[in-house]
């Protein structure tokens, strides 16, 4: 939408409340891949290690593609990749790059680029047709290695000099996790939805962000002045003076509301008629614990431990993991910290763990499925968590449980991990509580079969909605199907809570739904015991619940369970929230 002042408003999905104003930094795919810079002598061993890792990864990918092509097409076409593999294994090329690191003192990306260009130019100039064709192979393979190097390094985003708004077609959760928040004041992407892990990271970093804009990266140019409204999901290109003035006023009001809510930091989330709910926080990295304290959350309801594994060349070992978990547990004791075991796959890939690329990653080798197939990796993590449990405030939960048998298998590996620590006389919590995430419909419907093997449930609505509605949570074309108030979702949630309460368990919700000020009250009405959300949403949800009565929330829930329309339920939730705290609604809508 354009107007006479030349401003253009692009509409997407807002993921973090707040506004950012600054120049665009356009991230093209090529930019992400190649960052060239000078290096110091002591960086050379690290550059060599990155190069070797990237070569191993490239070789693995080429084998993978070769096998797939062979299966899908024929052996002849697959043999193209023999030539590519020869390039990766060409010692003279590899050695020349290593020599170049020493002589040029440039990073491996720039050395590899100049060496491969020299090679391919020399091959292209030869008389022999076969050898001339190899020039293209060298270029292809070099491009692939460069791409893998980008996966192992800080990308261009790590070298920003001025505060800016990053515009990209897409950002991986690992890119987002490493954003320098002093430079990246906002971001917007063409792809993605509000529950993608990129959006979740933006919320954790408290960066105003909009996703699912479809074509923003082609409409915005480098340096364009932008305003990102993460509450309404708008990106305003070349904002007019009036728009900036309007946003300036709104921002001042918003800050006033924030200040008031911050004063509730040490008060409980208690309704007007005296019903208390626990409000915990979701974190991705140990340093997020400061935000947990700052925003007054009563512990951590979900520590997404896999973020410790992203953006690095080697997986953290047992002691490094133990230190990270202990840092959080110690800082928050006696408040509870629930550490979710590794949930990789889906939209989170860990290069060091060598997960294969799959056609349907969200339905594939993800989370507990990966861990049960890799018991050594799993046991290492469980020992790391146990070592951090000395303060007796750590709990464990397993992600993406589909049936009771997975819980039993995981518990057996946990028992073996305890045995290992007993042999060492290490101090740990023998009675550490274990919970199951309920995020697959089969687990929700058979919660009674899972209940005997755990102490609590935590409902992951992000995935529960994705799997119930068969709607990929990161696909911006089908966000309309992503309906937390769909009767099917509410019935599943209610069923899980009923089973839990009948069997003496408590139930939390740790999906993004729990942090929505209009929807959290509905969850409380349905009987949820704990809500866990991005730390900066805790004051908003608390402020909302403190203005409501449990009796009204129970009525809202009872009505929702008999309603046939997701839209009607959402409307009622919004109306109740607006009547109770309009200023909080304005912060997020
Ligand atoms: C969920 O699925 O709701 C959840 C909390 O886990 P994640 O978003 O990390 O998949
Ligand atoms: Mg999940």
């Amino acid at each position: 939408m354009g107007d006479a002042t030349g401003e253009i408003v692009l509409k997407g999905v807002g993921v973090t409340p707040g506004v950012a104003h600054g120049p665009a930094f356009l991230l093209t795919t090529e930019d992400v891949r190649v960052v060239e810079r000078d290096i110091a002598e002591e960086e050379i061993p690290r550059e060599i290690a990155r190069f070797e890792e990237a070569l191993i990864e490239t070789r693995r990918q080429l084998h993978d593609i070769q096998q797939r092509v062979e299966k899908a097409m024929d052996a002849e076409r697959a043999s193209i990749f023999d030539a590519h593999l020869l390039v990766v294994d060409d010692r003279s090329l590899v050695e020349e790059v290593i020599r170049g690191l020493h002589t040029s003192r440039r990073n491996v990306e720039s050395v590899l680029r100049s060496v491969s260009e020299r090679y391919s130019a020399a091959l292209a100039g030869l008389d022999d047709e076969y050898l001339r064709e190899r020039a293209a192979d060298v270029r292809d393979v070099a491009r692939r290695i460069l791409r893998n190097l980008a996966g192992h390094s800080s990308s261009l985003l790590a070298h920003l000099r001025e505060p800016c708004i990053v515009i990209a077609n897409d950002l991986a959760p690992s890119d987002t996790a490493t954003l320098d928040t002093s430079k990246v004041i906002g971001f917007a992407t063409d792809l993605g939805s509000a529950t993608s892990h990129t959006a979740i990271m933006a919320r954790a970093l408290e960066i105003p962000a909009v996703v699912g804009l479809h074509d923003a990266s082609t409409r915005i140019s480098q340096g364009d002045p932008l305003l990102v409204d993460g509450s309404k999901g708008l990106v305003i290109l070349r904002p007019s003076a009036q728009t900036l003035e309007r946003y300036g006023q709104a921002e001042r009001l918003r800050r006033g509301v924030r200040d008031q809510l911050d004063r509730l930091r040490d008060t409980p989330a208690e309704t007007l008629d005296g019903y208390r709910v626990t409000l915990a926080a979701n974190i991705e990295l140990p340093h997020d614990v400061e935000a947990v304290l700052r925003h007054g959350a009563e512990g951590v309801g979900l520590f997404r431990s896999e973020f410790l594994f992203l953006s690095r060349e080697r997986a953290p070992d047992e002691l490094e993991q133990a230190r990270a978990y202990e840092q959080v547990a110690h800082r928050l004791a006696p408040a509870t910290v629930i550490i979710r075991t590794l949930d990789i796959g889906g939209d989170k890939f860990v290069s060091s763990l060598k997960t294969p690329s799959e056609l349907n990653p969200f339905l594939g080798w993800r989370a507990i499925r990966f861990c049960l197939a890799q018991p050594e990796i799993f046991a290492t993590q469980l020992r790391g968590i146990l070592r951090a449990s000395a303060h007796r405030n750590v709990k464990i939960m397993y992600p993406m449980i589909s049936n009771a048998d997975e819980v039993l298998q995981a518990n057996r590996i946990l028992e073996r991990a305890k045995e290992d620590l007993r042999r060492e006389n290490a101090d740990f919590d023998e009675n550490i509580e274990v919970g199951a995430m309920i995020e697959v419909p089969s687990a929700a419907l058979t919660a009674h079969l899972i209940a005997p093997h755990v102490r609590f449930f935590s409902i992951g609505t992000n995935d529960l909605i994705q799997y119930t509605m068969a709607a990929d949570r990161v696909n911006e074309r089908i966000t309309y199907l992503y309906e937390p108030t769909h009767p099917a979702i509410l019935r599943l949630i209610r069923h899980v809570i009923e089973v839990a309460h009948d069997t003496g368990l408590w139930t939390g919700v740790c999906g993004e739904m729990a942090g929505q000020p209009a929807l959290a009250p509905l969850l409380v009405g349905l009987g949820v015991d704990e809500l866990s959300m991005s730390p900066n949403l805790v004051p908003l949800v608390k402020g909302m619940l403190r203005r409501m009565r449990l009796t009204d929330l129970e009525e809202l829930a009872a009505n929702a369970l008999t309603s046939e329309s997701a839209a009607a339920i959402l409307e009622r939730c919004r109306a109740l929230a607006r009547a109770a705290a309009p200023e909080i609604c304005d912060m997020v809508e």
Side-chain angles (χ1 to χ4, degrees):
M1 197 179 1
D3 76 355
T5 64
E7 79 174 25
I8 296 175
V9 179
L10 309 175
K11 177 93 183 90
V13 180
V15 297
T16 324
V19 173
H21 176 217
F25 181 87
L26 203 63
L27 200 64
T28 65
T29 342
E30 277 307 313
D31 290 335
V32 182
R33 291 171 193 169
V34 186
V35 187
E36 299 194 6
R37 63 184 181 92
D38 291 330
I39 54 167
E41 189 173 357
E42 52 276 17
E43 286 182 77
I44 293 175
R46 205 185 97 78
E47 289 297 284
I48 295 177
R50 288 180 57 226
F51 185 41
E52 280 170 356
E53 290 263 344
L55 286 175
I56 293 170
E57 180 63 13
T58 305
R59 197 174 296 121
R60 191 187 68 79
Q61 290 166 348
L62 289 171
H63 274 299
D64 224 46
I65 303 173
Q66 191 172 37
Q67 273 171 9
R68 266 188 281 148
V69 171
E70 201 162 40
K71 263 197 218 131
M73 297 184 205
D74 52 66
E76 197 187 330
R77 273 182 238 205
S79 69
I80 300 170
F81 295 97
D82 283 337
H84 284 203
L85 283 162
L86 282 177
V87 176
V88 184
D89 288 327
D90 182 346
R91 278 322 290 174
S92 56
L93 185 127
V94 171
E95 276 157 21
E96 197 164 332
V97 171
I98 294 176
R99 260 199 314 280
L101 285 170
H102 288 277
T103 51
S104 72
R105 292 282 171 76
R106 300 274 293 161
N107 68 345
V108 65
E109 283 87 344
S110 37
V111 178
L112 173 64
R113 182 131 83 174
S114 61
V115 171
S116 64
E117 272 167 13
R118 220 172 32 248
Y119 259 63
S120 53
L123 287 167
L126 293 176
D127 275 347
D128 183 316
E129 194 191 331
Y130 172 82
L131 289 175
R132 267 205 312 276
E133 280 174 13
R134 302 288 72 79
D137 294 336
V138 171
R139 269 196 303 273
D140 271 9
V141 171
R143 215 173 297 132
R144 185 173 285 280
I145 301 173
L146 285 169
R147 201 161 48 224
N148 286 324
L149 278 166
H152 292 291
S153 71
S154 45
S155 64
L156 248 199
L157 291 174
H159 303 282
L160 295 172
R161 293 190 203 293
E162 298 298 329
C164 61
I165 293 169
V166 170
I167 303 296
N169 180 248
D170 194 15
L171 279 176
S174 53
D175 289 329
T176 321
T178 49
L179 288 181
D180 171 357
T181 51
S182 69
K183 299 290 179 336
V184 180
I185 55 173
F187 77 77
T189 58
D190 299 339
L191 305 184
S193 72
T195 53
S196 65
H197 284 96
T198 294
I200 288 169
M201 266 324 285
R203 236 166 265 140
L205 295 170
E206 303 184 16
I207 304 178
V210 177
V211 298
L213 285 152
H214 301 286
D215 58 358
S217 72
T218 54
R219 300 180 67 176
I220 295 171
S221 308
Q222 203 65 268
D224 273 348
L226 294 181
L227 191 139
V228 170
D229 176 346
S231 308
K232 294 200 165 56
L234 303 179
V235 172
I236 304 178
L237 175 56
R238 292 184 288 278
S240 67
Q242 295 94 301
T243 300
L244 290 176
E245 170 62 21
R246 187 160 42 84
Y247 269 95
Q249 272 173 13
E251 194 50 27
R252 281 189 288 282
L253 282 177
R254 187 192 302 274
R255 240 179 257 143
V257 176
R258 266 269 167 209
D259 288 347
Q260 271 173 13
L261 291 173
D262 285 347
R263 278 185 224 124
L264 298 177
R265 201 180 72 167
D266 301 317
T267 57
E270 186 173 301
T271 58
L272 293 169
D273 44 357
Y275 181 75
R276 274 187 72 158
V277 192
T278 305
L279 295 192
N282 295 349
I283 64 169
E284 280 72 43
L285 290 166
H287 63 70
D288 296 338
V289 74
E290 299 311 322
V292 176
L293 292 165
R294 192 167 67 246
H295 292 298
E298 302 165 81
V300 166
L302 164 64
F303 183 166
R304 290 186 165 94
S305 66
E306 58 279 1
F307 278 83
L308 291 175
F309 291 67
L310 300 185
S311 316
R312 46 183 294 158
E313 287 158 28
R314 278 180 230 301
D317 63 17
E318 180 178 328
L319 291 184
E320 185 180 346
Q321 287 189 58
R323 271 196 299 278
Y325 305 142
E326 151 75 13
Q327 191 184 331
V328 177
H330 176 75
R331 190 88 173 88
L332 290 180
T336 300
V337 176
I338 303 179
I339 302 176
R340 173 183 65 196
T341 58
L342 205 54
D343 181 2
I344 56 161
D347 61 350
K348 287 169 292 191
F349 298 98
V350 175
S351 50
S352 59
L353 297 183
K354 307 279 177 278
T355 43
S357 54
E358 298 182 311
L359 224 45
N360 287 307
F362 274 115
L363 298 181
W365 208 36
R366 185 186 165 193
I368 198 71
R369 302 169 181 187
F370 173 85
C371 286
L372 293 177
Q374 305 272 331
E376 258 327 298
I377 294 173
F378 192 38
T380 302
Q381 175 171 45
L382 291 172
R383 284 193 300 269
I385 298 175
L386 287 170
R387 284 184 195 282
S389 69
H391 296 288
R392 308 296 186 264
N393 65 333
V394 171
K395 299 187 202 303
I396 296 175
M397 71 180 174
Y398 306 134
M400 215 190 163
I401 291 295
S402 302
N403 57 40
D405 189 52
E406 287 173 337
V407 178
L408 284 167
Q409 286 185 57
N411 280 346
R412 276 198 291 274
I413 298 175
L414 177 63
E415 277 316 308
R416 286 206 295 275
K418 286 185 182 173
E419 263 307 312
D420 294 341
L421 294 198
R422 276 184 211 118
R423 271 197 298 277
E424 279 181 35
N425 284 326
D427 181 22
F428 69 94
D429 184 358
E430 283 279 359
N431 293 314
I432 193 161
E433 286 190 21
V434 168
M437 283 196 75
I438 304 292
E439 44 187 356
V440 176
S442 62
L445 291 169
T446 56
H448 61 293
L449 302 177
I450 295 171
H453 312 297
V454 294
R455 306 275 281 277
F456 65 92
F457 290 143
S458 184
I459 304 176
T461 47
N462 303 338
D463 280 315
L464 186 61
I465 299 170
Q466 140 163 284
Y467 295 130
T468 306
M469 305 296 292
D472 182 345
R473 65 191 264 187
V474 300
N475 188 333
E476 72 288 350
R477 290 196 182 83
I478 47 172
T479 42
Y480 70 94
L481 280 173
Y482 211 89
E483 290 183 301
T485 52
H486 191 286
I489 305 298
L490 299 185
R491 282 183 169 79
L492 287 174
I493 294 176
R494 179 65 195 149
H495 175 70
V496 173
I497 295 169
E498 265 170 4
V499 170
H501 290 175
D502 286 351
T503 48
L505 309 186
W506 62 270
T507 299
V509 172
C510 61
E512 300 311 289
M513 184 181 179
Q516 287 183 253
L519 297 183
L522 173 62
L523 292 171
V524 174
L526 287 168
V528 164
D529 305 287
E530 175 181 292
L531 298 168
S532 192
M533 63 205 75
S534 175
N536 65 336
L537 296 174
V538 169
L540 276 63
V541 171
K542 189 191 286 185
M544 184 60 79
L545 291 174
R546 286 178 62 84
R547 302 263 193 92
M548 294 179 151
R549 290 185 178 279
L550 178 64
T551 46
D552 292 336
L553 305 189
E554 286 173 340
E555 198 188 310
L556 175 74
N559 181 280
L561 287 169
T562 55
S563 172
E564 289 168 10
S565 152
I569 301 169
L570 181 62
E571 206 30 64
R572 279 185 79 110
C573 291
R574 287 201 170 137
L576 195 71
R578 196 151 272 287
E583 74 286 9
I584 295 179
C585 298
D586 286 342
M587 306 261 294
V588 289
E589 282 172 10

